[in-house]
């Protein structure tokens, strides 16, 4: 089955998820950001086919999310390192993990903890307002028109709905 590309949809969520077309890409980023960066180690940890891993890593490098760095000259060996663009995915993955921990952890509890080194406490991801630090929820936020908004595939109903709103 061919997947419809979302890169032309006037929606930042659609464009971002176009890169994450399947769970492997998020899991590759999880591993790289946690410290597993060599091809063979990624393949072993994830249990992913080498062909699929090669394709996903190539796309992440092409998109500027990861870069290849040589760590050994003889024989030549490279590993994958997150770029600034890739590092900015960390809060997204933390938010997804926090949601998964809440709804899918089961009786045993979450499979991993996130420890904040600055305050030396375990924590969870909280999406908060950059101005007042209040947690963001569906009930206290509103999508308003942006300069790149347009109606088209993927926003045929959403585009006009957002466009009809005015800044409160």
């Amino acid at each position: 089955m061919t997947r419809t590309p979302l890169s032309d949809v006037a929606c930042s969520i659609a464009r971002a998820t176009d890169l994450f077309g399947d769970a492997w890409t998020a899991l590759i980023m999880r591993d790289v950001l946690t410290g597993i960066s060599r091809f063979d180690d990624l393949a072993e940890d994830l249990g992913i086919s080498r062909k699929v891993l090669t394709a996903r890593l190539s796309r992440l490098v092409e998109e500027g999310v990861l870069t290849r760095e040589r760590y050994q000259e003889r024989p030549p060996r490279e590993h994958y390192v997150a770029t600034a663009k890739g590092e900015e995915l960390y809060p997204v993955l933390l938010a997804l993990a926090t949601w998964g921990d809440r709804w899918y952890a089961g009786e045993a509890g979450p499979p991993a903890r996130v420890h904040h080194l600055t305050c030396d406490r375990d924590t969870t991801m909280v999406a908060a307002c950059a101005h007042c630090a209040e947690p963001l929820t569906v009930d206290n936020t509103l999508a308003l028109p942006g300069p790149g908004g347009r109606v088209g595939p993927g926003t045929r109903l959403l585009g006009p709905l957002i466009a009809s709103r005015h800044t409160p």
Side-chain angles (χ1 to χ4, degrees):
M1 176 184 291
T2 304
R3 201 172 60 79
T4 302
L6 301 173
S7 57
D8 292 331
V9 174
C11 172
S12 295
I13 293 172
R15 292 173 181 164
T17 56
D18 191 53
L19 175 62
F20 289 92
D22 62 29
W24 291 124
T25 304
L27 295 175
I28 290 166
M29 288 307 300
R30 174 205 66 187
D31 278 13
V32 170
L33 291 169
T34 305
I36 300 172
S37 63
R38 297 178 182 177
F39 185 91
D40 289 340
D41 293 341
L42 289 165
E44 180 182 346
D45 186 58
L46 297 171
I48 187 174
S49 80
R50 297 177 77 80
K51 179 180 177 182
V52 171
L53 181 58
T54 298
R56 298 310 180 274
L57 287 168
S58 294
R59 174 86 191 274
L60 288 166
V61 169
E62 176 185 310
E63 291 287 335
V65 174
L66 294 177
T67 186
R68 289 183 187 95
E69 287 186 3
R70 181 147 304 168
Y71 68 88
Q72 179 179 309
E73 290 300 324
R74 291 190 175 191
R77 300 213 188 265
E78 296 178 328
H79 66 152
Y80 294 87
V81 177
T83 62
K85 185 177 181 180
E87 288 178 353
E88 285 190 21
L89 284 170
Y90 189 64
V92 175
L93 295 175
L94 284 180
L96 189 58
T98 297
W99 183 82
D101 288 347
R102 177 179 169 106
W103 297 104
Y104 295 104
E107 291 183 29
R113 296 178 296 126
V114 176
H115 192 79
H116 187 225
L117 299 175
T118 303
C119 70
D120 197 31
R121 308 267 317 253
D122 286 357
T123 190
T124 59
M125 179 65 182
V126 176
C129 176
H131 302 284
C132 71
E134 179 181 325
L136 300 174
T137 69
V138 69
D139 294 325
N140 69 11
T141 59
L142 180 65
L144 296 173
R150 68 179 189 281
V151 176
T155 61
R156 293 194 196 288
L157 299 178
L158 184 64
L161 173 65
I162 292 174
S164 71
R165 296 177 176 164
H166 302 287
T167 304

